[in-house]
Amino acid sequence: MVRSGGEPMPTGPAHLRERFLQGEPVARGGVRGSILDSWRRCRSLGLSPDQADPPFHDDFDPDGRIVRAAAPVLDRLQARYSGTEINISVADATGTVLLRRFGEASLAARLPAFQRVPGFMFAERFAGTNGIGLALADRRFIRVHGAEHFAERSQQNACVALPVRDPLSGRIEGVLCFGYPRAADSPALGIVLRRAVRAVERRLLGESSARERALLRAYLATGVDTADGPRRGVALDEPALGLHPRDRALLLERAAELLSRGQRAAVAVTLSDGRRVTLVSRPTASASGVAGLAIEVVVPGPAAPGGPGGLGGPEVAVPHQGEALPEFATAPTVLAAVSRLARLTAAAPPRPAPTTPTATDGGAMIDGRRTGPPPSTRTERAGPPPSTSTERTGRTERTGRTGPAPATPPPTPPPSTRGLLLVGEPHVGAYAVAARRRLELLSEVGARIGTTLDVRRTVGELAETSVPRFADYVTVDLPEPALRGEESADPLADLVRTVVHGIRDDLPFTPVGQRIVFGPTAPQVRCLTTGRAELEPDLKVAAGWLAQDPEHTERLLAHVHSLIAVPLLARGVVLGVVSFYRAQDPAPFGDDDRSLAQELVSRAALSTDNARRYTRERGMVLALQRRLLPHGLPDQDAVEVAHRYLPAESDVGGDWYDVIPLSGARIGLLVGDVVGHGMLSAATMGRLRTAARSFAELDFPPDEVLGHLDNLVGRLDRDDPDGEGVGIIGATCLYVIYDPTEQRCVMARAGHPPPALVRPDGTVSYPELPAGPPLGLGGLPFDAVEIDVPPDSGLVLFTDGLIEDRNRDVDLVLDQLRGALADHPERSPEETCEAILDSVAPAHPCDDIALLVARTHALDPARIAAWDLPPDPALVGEIRARATRQLADWGLEETAFAVELILSELVTNAIRHGSGPVRVRLLHHRSLICEVSDSSNTAPHLRQAGSNDEGGRGLFLVAQLARSWGTRHLPEGKVIWAECGLDAA
């Protein structure tokens, strides 16, 4: 950067900070993005760089979990940096400093109170840009150096900070921060900081494990008798129980759910083999006051073989006093440690049985004593009551008393067996349940997102899957070019609200279809700039979000309280931004939720980009397809025509149609279909349509046109460098020629459905046409059929996409089409097209549909004049006279001179070079058509006559006087025709 006079302008954070404070724009290239975002938030919060000390709170807990876990780590750090000017601090999740350590003891006396006394709050909204506040705002490792601090008082300092997370929940418990003079900055400090944070987190995990071990000891030490028998351990992985892996997973899943409820409860579980077991949660508490739950499994008798208790497995003694219990009940290991825990809690070996049979004692040894009641209180009689001896004699039973024998008592049901399955604190179970539900959500996202190749539908599936299992409201904003399949040059400038989905519909979100403009500090802008998800746990203090539109955000705050903004990125292309809002759940979004949101959007982004690319390619193919189709209909009076082209939902194919004016006031109707979809099919369609039109304009009959097309498709296959001659191109075609002077149709088809003929009385038929092979097979002829078509009849030509569908029978669809056409035969072609598409076309076409509807008209016989004459040159003058009189009757005297010359030349040539009788016909149509036919197949050719030639100039004169001229071959003979404009002189 240079000043206007050529002197370099100062750069760096200090200069850029001054420019920012003066209100000048600052680009991210000169200052780190996280620092610039923090400056903007500070400005929106109304903070001043020369503000006073941060607020002080004396009600913090000096003996909280984070303090107990961090204190030994800070002591080691203090010893490591002894003699240096480094200060080490630990703050809680609100930014309140809880611990301070100094490398040099005298440093504490030289620093102001807010830098040496715990209790000051360094959250960004109070203290501006600083290590603790920015680490909590960005929730990641932060380095702030010198002038990057927002406050003036911190300009000479530097710091590194990193959040400390609970290993179980992933929540931020606090921040560890190193502060030091600006000149003492070193990359090694960041490495030490990360190791120290890991040590604190391990100690937090150890505290949780110790609490769970205390709960386990308390449970084992409390053996109570129950109606179902004594409590004992259950080894769920013992083969004797015969649990299927699905049953193990099901029991553990339900146990974690019971644990997460935090209250006494029971739930019945049906195993895969039909057995029903019961899970029971029982409160337990350690001697130190840790409250939790023990989840027991109750299995009804009869007991399974393999052990005295019926659940199999040898009994093992629990550790005695002084023996270490295994770590248990941390969220990642709760489910994996069940078997180990079950063995740990198994009952001790049974004592010798007393005289009266007893069940196995369910007590266990722990701390040198047996848990559970004395054996005398834990007996169960297996036989009759011992107080009475019985004696049977024949059918009489004597019991030492007289009277009738008592009825046989019902058999005693076998006892149920109870064992420990899980023990822990409720919040640990909640973490396990949440983790499982997140995995289920990710699995569902993979199955539900991307079912179509529509951009809007794909992002809509993301929103529908996320609500309400992850978020209460989801909005998706995409750049307008992305909706068209293109890449956006500036996504922030053209965002459009594409999806709004939530548990209610009356929230004041910007509606779908409107442009979205986010403020420079909004989380959505930050996430698009950084490329990572941005978390705002509490929207009430989210300065960047509140500042973008105060009136709008104020109304939203009455309903939502937490936000995660995630960029929709795929293959390096910015596709938009997804915003997840939480409303009903009082707990805010956390870092685990941010990771889950990032994963959800990442999976959806690939499907969205696939849909965007498909939209672009489909748009290109569709544009090519429509460009190659007719842009308008020719002016003619033979038929009234309407047409429709409907592309398939999944892809664009090669269907086409055409309306071709022919000589003699005739009209050609053409419909075809190239096999396949995509660009190749569309391009091939264009080539075939052009060729078909050219062959038709040469006045070839339908069967010959199809023969020429068949040869062309074969050449295309052979000439294709990738086809290797295997016939990669296939096509079908239907060609109909209608003659309004005779009201007849000539038609032929090549593997194409026949047309529908609707007569004026409403009768609908499908003419019996030889099917003919599809184009490209080669070597097989095509047959044409002539049929009479009364005036005001309907001809309906269509491709197979209209009638062929995997869910419908073709014959039934043809009957349905017949009914739709017969209901209202008087409808116009436009109305007929709409009726067919509404009642016959599939709702979701998997193939293109080309539809051509024509209503036939007859040429007025009064506009037709015809004369037959023998091949006598003396009659040429008479023909000229008759033609002149006919033109006068039609009011076309001004064309008489040109018509006399044309007829003279054509009749003379027919008599001289042709054979058989000569027929002359004049047609008063949109133009004046002169036709001369004979029985010879020899066609004249226009040539350049030499200066000494006596002939060869007649056709030249005809070509000059007529708009166009040509030869049309008949089954026997030919027709030479010339068309004159009605204004010819």
Side-chain angles (χ1 to χ4, degrees):
M1 298 178 63
V2 295
R3 292 192 175 97
S4 59
E7 179 183 353
M9 293 180 63
T11 59
H15 172 70
L16 294 174
R17 178 176 174 274
E18 291 301 322
R19 291 182 55 192
F20 175 81
L21 294 176
Q22 293 173 9
E24 299 181 22
V26 176
R28 289 180 178 266
V31 62
R32 289 184 291 149
S34 60
I35 299 298
L36 182 57
D37 289 338
S38 179
W39 288 354
R40 290 171 174 169
R41 291 195 296 268
C42 294
R43 174 57 62 86
S44 64
L45 289 167
L47 298 180
S48 173
D50 55 356
Q51 61 188 2
D53 295 343
F56 178 79
H57 296 279
D58 57 0
D59 58 349
F60 64 91
D61 185 4
D63 192 34
R65 290 183 67 230
I66 185 69
V67 173
R68 295 195 304 270
V73 179
L74 263 64
D75 291 339
R76 291 197 298 270
L77 290 173
Q78 184 179 27
R80 174 172 182 166
Y81 290 105
S82 176
T84 64
E85 293 187 356
I86 190 171
N87 68 86
I88 308 165
S89 58
V90 170
D92 62 13
T94 67
T96 303
V97 175
L98 306 177
L99 289 175
R100 288 282 193 184
R101 295 291 189 273
F102 302 96
E104 183 179 335
S106 61
L107 185 63
R110 301 199 306 266
L111 293 176
F114 73 88
Q115 290 186 346
R116 56 184 173 83
V117 178
F120 283 93
M121 182 174 288
F122 281 82
E124 187 183 64
R125 65 180 185 274
F126 300 118
T129 306
N130 69 90
I132 294 175
L134 192 52
L136 289 174
D138 281 8
R139 310 176 76 81
R140 61 188 179 91
F141 175 80
I142 287 298
R143 184 186 300 271
V144 184
H145 188 274
E148 291 180 336
H149 289 88
F150 189 75
E152 296 282 356
R153 60 172 180 263
S154 303
Q155 300 294 296
Q156 301 304 316
N157 301 326
C159 62
V160 289
L162 183 63
V164 178
R165 301 179 184 275
D166 186 325
L168 297 180
S169 65
R171 292 197 306 261
I172 291 180
E173 293 289 327
V175 176
L176 180 60
C177 179
F178 293 173
Y180 43 87
R182 187 171 59 183
D185 195 8
S186 170
L189 290 173
I191 299 175
V192 176
L193 176 68
R194 296 180 188 275
R195 292 176 178 172
V197 167
R198 287 198 293 269
V200 176
E201 291 174 347
R202 285 195 299 270
R203 291 184 58 81
L204 286 174
L205 181 61
E207 284 199 0
S208 297
S209 300
R211 294 164 65 93
E212 303 294 347
R213 288 196 297 270
L215 286 175
L216 179 58
R217 286 194 177 92
Y219 169 81
L220 295 175
T222 309
V224 296
D225 210 359
T226 65
D228 296 328
R231 184 178 304 160
R232 56 173 283 113
V234 180
L236 289 182
D237 60 345
E238 292 296 337
L241 186 57
L243 283 179
H244 191 276
R246 290 196 305 269
D247 294 332
R248 292 194 188 98
L250 177 62
L251 288 178
L252 295 175
E253 176 183 329
R254 297 296 176 83
E257 292 176 354
L258 275 179
L259 184 62
S260 66
R261 295 179 185 178
Q263 59 186 2
R264 184 187 296 270
V267 62
V269 181
T270 302
L271 303 181
S272 60
D273 58 3
R275 289 183 294 169
R276 289 176 62 86
V277 300
T278 304
L279 298 181
V280 180
S281 61
R282 297 184 177 278
T284 184
S286 68
S288 60
V290 178
L293 292 175
I295 310 299
E296 299 173 342
V297 58
V298 180
V299 182
L311 287 178
E315 301 181 13
V316 295
V318 300
H320 291 266
Q321 187 175 7
E323 296 184 40
L325 289 170
E327 288 193 10
F328 169 68
T330 59
T333 60
V334 167
L335 303 184
V338 172
S339 297
R340 185 180 177 192
L341 175 65
R343 290 193 181 93
L344 175 67
T345 60
R351 297 186 304 278
T355 303
T356 303
T358 61
T360 302
D361 183 6
M365 293 295 297
I366 188 169
D367 295 337
R369 53 188 170 85
R370 177 177 298 279
T371 62
S376 60
T377 64
R378 302 176 61 86
T379 62
E380 182 176 340
R381 303 185 184 277
S387 59
T388 313
S389 62
T390 60
E391 178 181 276
R392 288 185 181 270
T393 304
R395 302 177 65 90
T396 305
E397 179 182 297
R398 296 190 309 184
T399 61
R401 64 175 182 264
T402 60
T408 303
T412 304
S416 61
T417 309
R418 179 186 303 266
L420 178 65
L421 180 61
L422 206 61
V423 65
E425 294 181 275
H427 67 274
V428 176
Y431 300 152
V433 171
R436 188 187 69 250
R437 289 175 178 170
R438 285 168 178 159
L439 290 175
E440 292 173 351
L441 179 59
L442 288 174
S443 176
E444 184 176 348
V445 164
R448 289 188 57 184
I449 295 180
T451 58
T452 68
L453 287 171
D454 180 80
V455 175
R456 288 183 173 86
R457 181 58 192 155
T458 301
V459 294
E461 289 170 343
L462 169 63
E464 293 168 3
T465 307
S466 303
V467 175
R469 297 176 59 181
F470 176 66
D472 296 317
Y473 297 94
V474 177
T475 63
V476 182
D477 306 313
L478 303 182
E480 191 171 6
L483 298 173
R484 302 191 302 266
E486 304 169 2
E487 295 184 14
S488 176
D490 186 6
L492 289 174
D494 49 17
L495 286 175
V496 176
R497 178 58 48 87
T498 308
V499 172
V500 177
H501 184 70
I503 56 177
R504 290 169 49 189
D505 298 330
D506 56 348
L507 261 64
F509 288 105
T510 302
V512 172
Q514 289 194 11
R515 287 191 173 274
I516 301 295
V517 179
F518 292 110
T521 58
Q524 289 84 352
V525 174
R526 298 204 309 269
C527 79
L528 288 177
T529 303
T530 61
R532 63 174 185 271
E534 294 291 332
L535 170 64
E536 291 290 356
D538 187 0
L539 290 176
K540 293 182 179 179
V541 298
W545 184 77
L546 293 170
Q548 60 175 329
D549 187 352
E551 180 181 356
H552 185 234
T553 53
E554 183 67 26
R555 287 185 287 131
L556 278 178
L557 276 179
H559 305 279
V560 298
H561 62 81
S562 192
L563 164 68
I564 299 177
V566 188
L568 199 63
L569 301 174
R571 303 181 180 98
V573 178
V574 178
L575 302 175
V577 60
V578 183
S579 302
F580 299 93
Y581 293 89
R582 182 165 285 179
Q584 288 187 331
D585 191 345
F589 283 126
D591 288 281
D592 285 349
D593 298 312
R594 177 170 61 177
S595 300
L596 178 59
Q598 185 81 60
E599 180 67 20
L600 290 175
V601 175
S602 296
R603 296 191 181 194
L606 290 176
S607 297
T608 305
D609 189 51
N610 290 339
R612 180 192 67 83
R613 290 168 177 252
Y614 169 77
T615 301
R616 180 187 60 188
E617 294 178 4
R618 185 174 187 271
M620 294 170 58
V621 175
L622 189 57
L624 174 62
Q625 175 88 332
R626 295 192 182 280
R627 188 68 180 174
L628 295 175
L629 290 174
H631 295 282
L633 297 176
D635 292 332
Q636 47 80 36
D637 296 328
V639 291
E640 181 185 354
V641 182
H643 58 86
R644 294 290 188 275
Y645 171 74
L646 186 65
E649 282 193 349
S650 59
D651 208 346
V652 178
D655 292 16
W656 89 89
Y657 60 88
D658 209 345
V659 179
I660 308 170
L662 301 175
S663 63
R666 298 171 307 145
I667 196 74
L669 305 176
L670 191 66
V671 171
D673 182 7
V674 175
V675 176
H677 297 85
M679 188 73 72
L680 176 61
S681 295
T684 304
M685 178 275 292
R687 300 173 72 177
L688 290 184
R689 174 180 171 260
T690 301
R693 189 179 185 91
S694 300
F695 295 143
E697 289 179 344
L698 291 175
D699 271 330
F700 291 139
D703 53 336
E704 292 189 25
V705 169
L706 296 182
H708 289 298
L709 288 176
D710 181 60
N711 293 332
L712 173 63
V713 173
R715 287 196 302 272
L716 292 177
D717 285 339
R718 293 190 297 271
D719 296 342
D720 190 341
D722 299 325
E724 299 180 356
V726 297
I728 63 168
I729 298 175
T732 64
C733 186
L734 170 64
Y735 184 31
V736 177
I737 297 178
Y738 172 68
D739 189 345
T741 64
E742 298 180 358
Q743 295 88 55
R744 290 182 65 82
C745 272
V746 182
M747 57 184 71
R749 63 182 178 131
H752 201 88
L757 174 60
V758 186
R759 299 185 182 275
D761 60 358
T763 304
V764 180
S765 62
Y766 300 101
E768 293 292 337
L769 295 182
L775 301 177
L777 295 183
L780 297 176
F782 299 93
D783 295 328
V785 173
E786 290 191 23
I787 59 174
D788 293 327
V789 180
D792 293 327
S793 297
L795 283 170
V796 180
L797 289 72
F798 51 87
T799 56
D800 57 2
L802 178 67
I803 60 174
E804 293 184 3
D805 185 82
R806 63 176 61 95
N807 300 319
R808 303 190 300 173
D809 183 80
V810 174
D811 293 334
L812 294 178
V813 178
L814 290 175
D815 291 340
Q816 187 178 1
L817 176 60
R818 179 184 284 109
L821 295 174
D823 288 343
H824 299 280
E826 74 284 355
R827 280 184 298 212
S828 67
E830 286 288 343
E831 294 171 340
T832 303
C833 283
E834 292 298 328
I836 292 175
L837 293 181
D838 291 341
S839 60
V840 181
H844 304 283
C846 57
D847 194 6
D848 292 15
I849 297 175
L851 180 62
L852 192 63
V853 178
R855 180 179 295 279
T856 62
H857 299 299
L859 188 60
D860 187 355
R863 290 175 172 260
I864 303 174
W867 304 279
D868 293 321
L869 64 155
D872 184 359
L875 299 178
V876 175
E878 181 181 347
I879 289 298
R880 287 200 304 266
R882 291 181 182 180
T884 301
R885 289 193 297 269
Q886 184 64 58
L887 292 177
D889 293 341
W890 287 341
L892 302 177
E893 295 87 348
E894 65 276 8
T895 63
F897 176 75
V899 171
E900 286 182 359
L901 289 179
I902 292 174
L903 287 178
S904 294
E905 179 61 29
L906 296 183
V907 172
T908 301
N909 283 342
I911 294 173
R912 179 178 298 179
H913 303 291
S915 63
V918 177
R919 181 177 178 81
V920 179
R921 190 171 70 162
L922 296 181
L923 302 178
H924 182 195
H925 192 48
R926 289 177 174 266
S927 58
L928 185 64
I929 302 173
C930 304
E931 294 183 348
V932 177
S933 59
D934 62 73
S935 58
S936 171
N937 291 323
T938 303
H941 297 281
L942 181 66
R943 64 185 180 87
Q944 184 71 37
S947 57
N948 296 325
D949 292 341
E950 295 183 0
R953 297 176 179 83
L955 285 181
F956 178 78
L957 291 176
V958 171
Q960 296 298 313
L961 293 173
R963 287 181 177 176
S964 59
W965 73 278
T967 303
R968 180 170 74 248
H969 289 274
L970 302 175
E972 295 181 0
K974 66 179 181 300
V975 175
I976 310 299
W977 59 268
E979 181 179 349
C980 299
L982 297 181
D983 56 350

